[in-house]
Every structure is written in structure tokens, then in C-alpha cells.
Amino acid sequence: LTVTPAPLTVSANSASRAYGDFNPLFTGTIIGLQNSDNITADYTTSASLTSSVGKYSIVPTLLDPGSKLRNYTVTTNLGTLTVTPGTLIVYGDSAARTYGTPNPPLGGKVYGLEPKTGDSMSVTSSTSATISSPVGNYAVVPTLVDPASRASNYNITYFDGTLTVVPV
């Protein structure tokens, strides 16, 4: 009598999360266990809280407290963790000045940075208005300052502010 190993397939389910979020609880399936063998699986990834947007393997690892794996031919199927972009909103500050005076310092605000990742960005703003621009409204256009080049991990929406030039 020849006893051959039984086929056993362990598969990690795919998952997704937004940039800066913690990894979800990974799950999967084991198909082919025989005789109530106490084999389970753990599912891990190399992606951490600060991992950039992209795809990462979810790797199943079989746990075999009863040393029964020798009775199986194991097939392993990886899952995929998809890290999706977070959301940033960048605003240009609104301001006012009188005709013939210099523009005030122009800045802005950024909302949605993930403090858990340590990302640090700021906003500078510019306008087409000069000291001799006539009374009226001018766009204050924000620009994101990203010293660590982390902006690619976000979907970014920009909102202009307004510089209002008023009569003397």
C-alpha cells in the first residue's frame, strides 16, 4: 500500500486600504484538509502604515502544531494588498489690500495629511496682481510644498483663494 500526499491549497484573499491607514485583517482559505488536521494559516504583507501607494503581496504561512504538513502537497496562492491614495485638499488663502500697496504675504492650508505617516507638506501661494493692478479680484493660486516627495500618495484637489484689491 502506497500512501501519497493529499493536495492542500492555501490562498490569501486580496484586500485594499488607503494610504496612511492600518492594514486590514487578512483572511484566506485552506482547501483539502483531511482527518480534521489542525492546520491553520497566518497572512502577512511587507506593507506598513507608511508604504507608498501600490500593490503588495499578501503571503499565507501555514501553522502546523500537529506536524501533519508532511502528509500534503501544498499549493500556495498569494493575495494582493492594494494601497490606494489618500485625499488632500489644498487651499490658497484669501486676502485683501488697497490699490497701490504691495500684496500681503500669501499662504494657504493643506488638509488631509496623514499624521500617522509623518508626512509634512505646506502651501505657498501666488497671484497675478501687482502693485499697479486695478481694483478687483485676483486668484490666489496655491502650490503644494512637498520636501519628502510624498504627494504621489494622495489625490489632491486645489482651491484658489481670492486677493481683493479695494479702492484707496
Side-chain angles (χ1 to χ4, degrees):
L1 173 66
T2 301
V3 177
T4 59
L8 183 70
T9 302
V10 58
S11 301
N13 294 330
S14 292
S16 66
R17 68 162 174 86
Y19 171 74
D21 286 350
F22 292 102
N23 288 334
L25 178 64
F26 299 126
T27 61
T29 58
I30 301 174
I31 298 173
L33 286 174
Q34 303 294 319
N35 303 319
S36 301
D37 287 344
N38 187 24
I39 297 172
T40 59
D42 188 23
Y43 305 92
T44 59
T45 185
S46 63
S48 69
L49 181 75
T50 58
S51 293
S52 295
V53 169
K55 295 187 182 293
Y56 301 85
S57 293
I58 300 172
V59 180
T61 302
L62 290 171
L63 306 171
D64 181 22
S67 300
K68 301 291 184 173
L69 273 177
R70 68 181 182 280
N71 297 318
Y72 295 95
T73 300
V74 178
T75 301
T76 301
N77 297 312
L78 304 178
T80 301
L81 173 66
T82 303
V83 177
T84 60
T87 300
L88 280 186
I89 300 173
V90 179
Y91 290 94
D93 286 340
S94 292
R97 69 164 174 87
T98 55
Y99 172 76
T101 61
N103 290 334
L106 300 173
K109 293 176 183 57
V110 59
Y111 296 99
L113 283 174
E114 283 296 337
K116 297 174 285 204
T117 63
D119 292 349
S120 178
M121 298 178 202
S122 60
V123 179
T124 61
S125 294
S126 61
T127 184
S128 63
T130 65
I131 198 166
S132 59
S133 294
V135 170
N137 292 323
Y138 299 86
V140 176
V141 181
T143 301
L144 189 63
V145 178
D146 179 19
S149 300
R150 304 295 288 176
S152 63
N153 292 308
Y154 296 93
N155 288 324
I156 305 171
T157 303
Y158 291 89
F159 293 96
D160 292 350
T162 303
L163 174 66
T164 302
V165 178
V166 297
V168 176

